[in-house]
Amino acid sequence: MPPVVPPFLIGLIVAPLAKRVLKPLVRGAITTSVGLVMEVKKAAQEAGENIHDLAVEVAADMVAAQIAAGEGHRPEEGAASNGEKDEARTPKIRATAGAAKAQ
C-alpha cells in the first residue's frame, strides 16, 4: 500500500514552485497585453488623424468648387436679407495694441 501524503503537504511543496514558474508567465502575459493595447491606441489615434485630415481636404475642395461655380459670391450692397445694411454684416478691422504702438 502506498504511503498516504496529506494534501496540505503537497500544497506546501507545490506552492513555492508554482510561484516561481507562474509569476514570470503571468508577468509576460500582462506585459504583452499592455504593449498590445498601447499599439492599438496609437493606431486608432493615427487613423482618427487621417480621417480628420481627409475631412479637411474634402471641405476645402467643396469650398473651392463652390467658389469656382459662383455660389460663394457676396450679396450685392443693400441686398441684405434681414433688412440691415450690408455694411453692418461685414467684419470690421480692429487695430491691436501692437499696431497702435507701431504707428
Side-chain angles (χ1 to χ4, degrees):
M1 195 153 133
V4 178
V5 179
F8 75 92
L9 287 178
I10 294 172
L12 289 175
I13 295 170
V14 173
L17 292 174
K19 182 180 178 182
R20 288 184 187 156
V21 172
L22 291 178
K23 185 176 180 178
L25 291 175
V26 171
R27 183 181 181 95
I30 291 172
T31 302
T32 302
S33 63
V34 167
L36 183 63
V37 166
M38 292 180 75
E39 289 294 322
V40 168
K41 281 184 177 182
K42 183 179 176 182
Q45 182 180 8
E46 289 176 1
E49 288 175 0
N50 289 340
I51 290 173
H52 183 266
D53 291 345
L54 183 61
V56 168
E57 289 177 14
V58 169
D61 289 343
M62 290 180 67
V63 168
Q66 287 178 352
I67 290 172
E71 294 177 12
H73 71 281
R74 293 183 51 162
E76 295 178 15
E77 189 173 329
S81 60
N82 59 359
E84 296 177 359
K85 288 185 184 179
D86 186 40
E87 183 179 295
R89 293 177 40 190
T90 58
K92 305 276 190 235
I93 299 175
R94 296 182 181 158
T96 61
K101 289 180 182 178
Q103 292 176 354

